[in-house]
Amino acid sequence: MNLQVSPVASTSTASGSIARNARLPFHSNPDILDEICEYLSYEYDNDPDDISRSRQVLLWVALTCRSFLEPALDRLWRSLDSLFPLLKVLPAFFQSDDTYVLRGRITPEDWARFDWYGRRVRKFSYTRDPDNLDIAMHVYFRLAQLRSTPLLPSLRHLHCPSTSQNDFLISGICLFLSPSLQTLEFENISNVEDKLCGTVLHTLHSDGAPMERIILRGRGLSRDTVCKVIQFEHLKELELAGMGESLDMEILEHIGSLPSLIDLALDFTNSNIPPLENDIGLKDLRSLMITAQVPFIQAFLPRVASTRLETFVAVAPSNPPVDKKDFLTDVVTRWKDSLRRIALVHQAVDDTAEELNITALAPLLPLRKLTYVRIEGYVMELHDRNIEDLAIAWPELSTLLLPFISAGRTRPTILSLRTHVKCGELAPRDCGLRPARPGAAQSPLNAVSPLSKVKHSAALVHEEMKATASTPTRR
């Protein structure tokens, strides 16, 4: 879709009546205009068709009158997953045969128009271009040569779903580094990209980027690179997955001392850190996700200074076998007055299945304010009566995720889930028997939502309930 409009031409397309109405208070109130455009934005929707329709509507709104131009374009350009729409602004960017190239002089006027759109981008996802879009690799090198200032000067969130250089020019991500960045998310990291990740982190720190959220998932990062993460003293959310031996005690203690940290997700797989014996801080922590053996997690929890933990996620293997009831008792004893969301995930290390008896969840029943419960990867048997007991124990529950229960085992009926948990009304996407394929391979880190997604799920449910009660249906 063409996301461009002419700043001059767009105002001339408005009808005479709309132009006259522009003097009304409605058109001069930026809060109202922002609210309308925000309502029309489907930026975070998973349906590509909805996103496409939303962008088309926002483009029409931008062309309606001068008052709507800026707020509509701000939403239209707020999130991009390709540089292609911006490159099309430049006359020097054109197609040669079937490949897009960047050739010729780019005038100050061309850059001004490029920046008129580029300054609106707040979130960028750097991924491989689709197969039907061939952009010559030299385009990115040419851009780096021509620009001395950030391409996206207002960028807040930078996401790279895969940092594998076998897929595309991963080093091109340096084009999007900006002192305005607050969030960095790298996935599928390998040791090949270790130095690139270190350079990105070093650059952002040197430029004074106010980083609040860093997520690194992969394997093979060096200790030097991991150390650069904890240089950002104002981090509010941190996730380190697959760091192995690079995650040592010194780094853990530094993480515990970060003064603003609220959400923390750590993977201790292949780490040499022994069971903790001393306190590590984390006094203001609200959300904690740990991937480790249960004995390690049990030793970890008493060393956390926070007394107001709201979200707890444990990802644990079967070995050594541990009584999950005793484990959950420790969790509840520590944060019985504050816990709202809890998840217990089985980390598959071989084909051995782990049985989880429903009685293991008994320590959770007194937590009357639970809104989110997730049990993943275990072999269970559940009766309708069990679902009824859970619904009675947790009256505020809005999301219930249960493991796949194969044929031949006792499992609750859909009618029971709808009757007692009210799935269709409160959590249409996240409730009930999970339609997982038995035996399907799944990364233990992907088997559970990161902390931000757990909280985001709860927020979505709350917003859906408010919207159902107070707003008309979108058309």
Side-chain angles (χ1 to χ4, degrees):
M1 178 191 299
N2 188 353
L3 306 183
Q4 302 174 39
V5 299
S6 168
V8 176
S10 62
T11 60
S12 64
T13 60
S15 65
S17 60
I18 293 178
R20 287 192 297 272
N21 289 337
R23 293 190 296 271
L24 296 176
F26 167 82
H27 291 84
S28 62
N29 189 323
D31 293 334
I32 295 178
L33 298 177
D34 285 343
E35 190 70 23
I36 292 173
C37 293
E38 192 67 37
Y39 180 81
L40 296 173
S41 175
Y42 270 93
E43 175 184 334
Y44 299 106
D45 199 297
N46 291 325
D47 188 338
D49 292 335
D50 281 346
I51 295 176
S52 179
R53 283 192 294 267
S54 170
R55 290 188 169 183
Q56 182 62 70
V57 169
L58 285 170
L59 181 58
W60 289 336
V61 169
L63 293 168
T64 300
C65 69
R66 186 187 301 271
S67 298
F68 275 109
L69 180 65
E70 290 291 331
L73 286 182
D74 284 346
R75 270 72 181 179
L76 184 62
W77 285 87
R78 183 167 56 186
S79 178
L80 291 180
D81 57 8
S82 172
L83 202 57
F84 183 68
L86 266 176
L87 291 173
K88 287 173 63 180
V89 173
L90 301 174
F93 181 74
F94 59 90
Q95 201 168 19
S96 174
D97 297 323
D98 294 326
T99 301
Y100 282 93
V101 296
L102 187 65
R103 297 173 181 172
R105 180 172 178 264
I106 301 178
T107 66
E109 291 76 16
D110 294 336
W111 282 125
R113 184 166 175 79
F114 182 96
D115 293 336
W116 193 68
Y117 294 106
R119 64 179 170 82
R120 306 175 192 276
V121 180
R122 298 293 188 273
K123 180 179 180 181
F124 190 81
S125 182
Y126 185 51
T127 62
R128 178 180 179 178
D129 292 319
D131 293 336
N132 60 351
L133 179 61
D134 185 13
I135 299 178
M137 192 174 297
H138 79 262
V139 170
Y140 299 98
F141 292 106
R142 184 72 174 135
L143 281 174
Q145 179 187 34
L146 294 172
R147 292 282 296 206
S148 59
T149 57
L151 285 181
L152 308 176
S154 302
L155 192 65
R156 299 289 186 271
H157 312 284
L158 180 58
H159 178 213
C160 188
S162 175
T163 59
S164 173
Q165 62 181 4
N166 294 327
D167 291 339
F168 63 114
L169 183 66
I170 181 57
S171 56
I173 201 167
C174 294
L175 285 171
F176 310 106
L177 299 185
S178 169
S180 62
L181 271 173
Q182 298 174 351
T183 296
L184 182 68
E185 185 173 355
F186 281 1
E187 300 183 62
N188 194 30
I189 304 170
S190 74
N191 58 347
V192 177
E193 292 81 38
D194 170 60
K195 299 309 175 189
L196 174 63
C197 290
T199 298
V200 168
L201 292 167
H202 178 85
T203 302
L204 292 175
H205 186 263
S206 299
D207 290 347
M211 300 300 297
E212 297 181 354
R213 180 171 181 257
I214 294 179
I215 296 177
L216 301 179
R217 304 189 191 108
R219 56 180 177 81
L221 286 191
S222 65
R223 186 182 184 280
D224 178 67
T225 297
V226 176
C227 284
K228 296 188 183 307
V229 174
I230 55 180
Q231 292 179 341
F232 296 94
E233 293 293 333
H234 300 292
L235 279 180
K236 295 181 179 179
E237 181 175 346
L238 174 63
E239 179 178 343
L240 298 176
M243 300 300 105
E245 296 181 358
S246 296
L247 182 59
D248 59 24
M249 195 64 206
E250 182 180 350
I251 291 177
L252 181 60
E253 290 174 346
H254 198 123
I255 292 173
S257 67
L258 292 173
S260 303
L261 197 62
I262 296 175
D263 291 359
L264 176 63
L266 292 177
D267 173 17
F268 290 96
T269 304
N270 296 325
S271 172
N272 293 325
I273 297 178
L276 301 187
E277 297 181 354
N278 300 312
D279 295 346
I280 59 170
L282 303 171
K283 62 182 180 64
D284 294 318
L285 204 64
R286 297 291 183 273
S287 301
L288 175 63
M289 174 178 168
I290 299 182
T291 301
Q293 294 180 343
V294 171
F296 181 91
I297 300 177
Q298 287 179 299
F300 188 98
L301 298 184
R303 305 306 176 185
V304 176
S306 174
T307 59
R308 295 176 291 174
L309 198 71
E310 298 174 0
T311 300
F312 176 69
V313 180
V315 183
S318 300
N319 296 316
V322 175
D323 189 329
K324 297 300 189 295
K325 185 175 181 180
D326 290 343
F327 171 53
L328 292 176
T329 298
D330 292 345
V331 176
V332 172
T333 301
R334 188 73 173 80
W335 294 291
K336 62 181 179 181
D337 295 326
S338 60
L339 271 179
R340 300 292 182 271
R341 294 168 290 275
I342 190 165
L344 185 61
V345 178
H346 174 251
Q347 183 185 38
V349 293
D350 51 36
D351 295 333
T352 303
E354 181 174 359
E355 191 93 21
L356 184 67
N357 194 289
I358 186 64
T359 58
L361 304 184
L364 302 179
L365 296 182
L367 302 180
R368 301 282 292 173
K369 295 184 179 181
L370 279 181
T371 61
Y372 181 104
V373 176
R374 178 180 186 133
I375 309 298
E376 182 85 13
Y378 293 95
V379 176
M380 296 185 70
E381 291 194 0
L382 291 173
H383 299 266
D384 285 351
R385 177 64 186 177
N386 299 139
I387 298 299
E388 181 179 356
D389 291 341
L390 298 182
I392 294 172
W394 304 321
E396 298 184 21
L397 190 69
S398 60
T399 302
L400 175 63
L401 292 171
L402 300 174
F404 176 84
I405 301 178
S406 60
R409 287 183 172 270
T410 304
R411 52 185 176 181
T413 62
I414 296 298
L415 177 61
S416 172
L417 290 167
R418 288 176 177 168
T419 301
H420 300 300
V421 189
K422 299 180 181 178
C423 304
E425 176 185 346
L426 296 182
R429 293 187 299 274
D430 290 331
C431 199
L433 294 174
R434 189 169 180 82
R437 293 179 291 109
Q442 189 176 36
S443 166
L445 296 171
N446 293 330
V448 62
S449 300
L451 297 176
S452 55
K453 294 184 180 179
V454 173
K455 296 177 67 179
H456 182 57
S457 175
L460 281 178
V461 172
H462 178 65
E463 291 300 322
E464 287 176 4
M465 294 173 64
K466 287 172 55 181
T468 302
S470 61
T471 61
T473 304
R474 292 179 188 259
R475 298 186 182 277

